[in-house]
Amino acid sequence: MSKTAVVTGSGQGIGKGIATRLAKDGFNLVISDIDKEKMEETVQAIKDSGSEALAVEANVTSRQDINDLVKKAADHFGSVDVFVNNAGIDHVAPLLKVEEEDIEKIFAVNVNGVIFGIQAAAEQMKKQGGGKIINACSIAGHKGFPMLGIYSATKFAVKGLTQASAQELAPDKITVNAYCPGVVGTSMWERIDARMVEEMGLEKPGDAFEKFTAGIALGRPQTPEDVANFVSYLASPDSDYMTGQAVLIDGGIVYN
């Protein structure tokens, strides 16, 4: 029987890369996003490659949406073996300029969304006798970066949630790990670059991206496929003895 993976925020970017790789690995895929058009495009691409995929529109800030997402996935494919809490948003600003609504918005997506995903996936996986929960962390979950203060705070929270839930869910044969990318060439980084150019007084678009990628040990920016390759390992039986870890996969930026 084929296994099933659910990936939130998988209409584009890293999430799409992860979904595409897991489909290649033989998983049935449940693609979830708030962007219906992008979500349907990803589903069609996976189907065109010969794999099974289902689109379920869901907002990770809604516990009910995430509960419904897991239920629809289990009803359609019979199980939820891997749940990837990939959905996330960025925020670029000096801490002294951060507004209350900025804090509420980013925590609702990056932290509350992960909590709701862990809760819903774990309840389903308990019924099945186990599973794997995989969370999106970041190099900003290991080191605070200027201009990314509240984003870093959300990713430190994800690392803590990963460690705590791994210990709580281990008796149910559920592992919980996280992947921590660096500077990935996606639309998110285009937005970060634009804001940093503005806030830091840089000359032109691309300057912030170039500044952040210049020191990568492996000499190039990261791609969604780089991240997806590692998530493939976390989703596979090869990672069965690994839990509670938030692993850096950044080409050599942060070391700890």
Side-chain angles (χ1 to χ4, degrees):
M1 179 179 175
S2 297
K3 291 187 175 182
T4 300
V6 180
V7 186
T8 67
S10 49
Q12 58 188 319
I14 292 174
K16 182 175 182 178
I18 290 170
T20 302
R21 174 56 196 263
L22 294 183
K24 183 179 178 182
D25 291 344
F27 284 89
N28 300 318
L29 261 297
V30 179
I31 305 302
S32 182
D33 209 294
I34 57 173
D35 187 326
K36 188 173 182 179
E37 183 178 350
K38 294 288 187 184
M39 178 177 65
E40 294 287 358
E41 287 175 2
T42 301
V43 167
Q44 192 58 53
I46 289 173
K47 286 183 175 180
D48 288 346
S49 72
S51 298
E52 293 294 323
L54 172 72
V56 179
E57 191 174 356
N59 187 328
V60 297
T61 67
S62 164
R63 174 182 270 136
Q64 188 59 55
D65 272 16
I66 300 306
N67 287 343
D68 290 345
L69 168 62
V70 171
K71 184 177 187 305
K72 288 174 182 177
D75 287 348
H76 188 83
F77 285 120
S79 66
V80 173
D81 303 283
V82 172
F83 192 96
V84 185
N85 281 305
N86 173 76
I89 60 173
D90 60 89
H91 183 271
V92 181
L95 276 174
L96 297 185
K97 292 186 178 180
V98 173
E99 302 289 344
E100 185 174 0
E101 56 266 29
D102 299 328
I103 300 169
E104 291 174 351
K105 181 179 179 180
I106 195 168
F107 270 81
V109 176
N110 292 6
V111 180
N112 296 7
V114 170
I115 293 170
F116 299 155
I118 291 171
Q119 290 173 329
E123 288 302 322
Q124 174 62 34
M125 289 173 181
K126 284 181 181 182
K127 299 173 188 176
Q128 302 167 187
K132 294 175 181 287
I133 297 172
I134 304 170
N135 300 326
C137 192
S138 168
I139 56 172
H142 289 260
K143 175 185 175 181
F145 288 86
M147 307 295 295
L148 294 168
I150 59 170
Y151 177 78
S152 296
T154 65
K155 294 305 181 177
F156 269 82
V158 170
K159 184 165 67 171
L161 290 167
T162 300
Q163 293 175 356
S165 58
Q167 294 171 77
E168 292 182 16
L169 297 174
D172 298 299
K173 297 182 180 178
I174 299 169
T175 62
V176 189
N177 292 291
Y179 52 99
C180 303
V183 184
V184 188
T186 63
S187 58
M188 176 182 282
W189 247 100
E190 290 176 7
R191 293 191 299 271
I192 293 173
D193 177 85
R195 288 288 295 137
M196 284 190 169
V197 167
E198 178 184 338
E199 292 285 352
M200 297 168 68
L202 300 174
E203 291 185 5
K204 61 185 184 301
D207 281 357
F209 187 78
E210 184 176 341
K211 177 182 174 69
F212 271 80
T213 57
I216 296 175
L218 293 182
R220 65 170 176 83
Q222 193 165 13
T223 68
E225 290 73 27
D226 293 323
V227 185
N229 291 341
F230 180 61
V231 175
S232 172
Y233 163 74
L234 293 178
S236 78
D238 290 343
S239 69
D240 282 355
Y241 198 62
M242 178 180 181
T243 199
Q245 305 306 306
V247 182
L248 290 157
I249 173 75
D250 65 357
I253 301 174
V254 175
Y255 303 87
N256 64 5

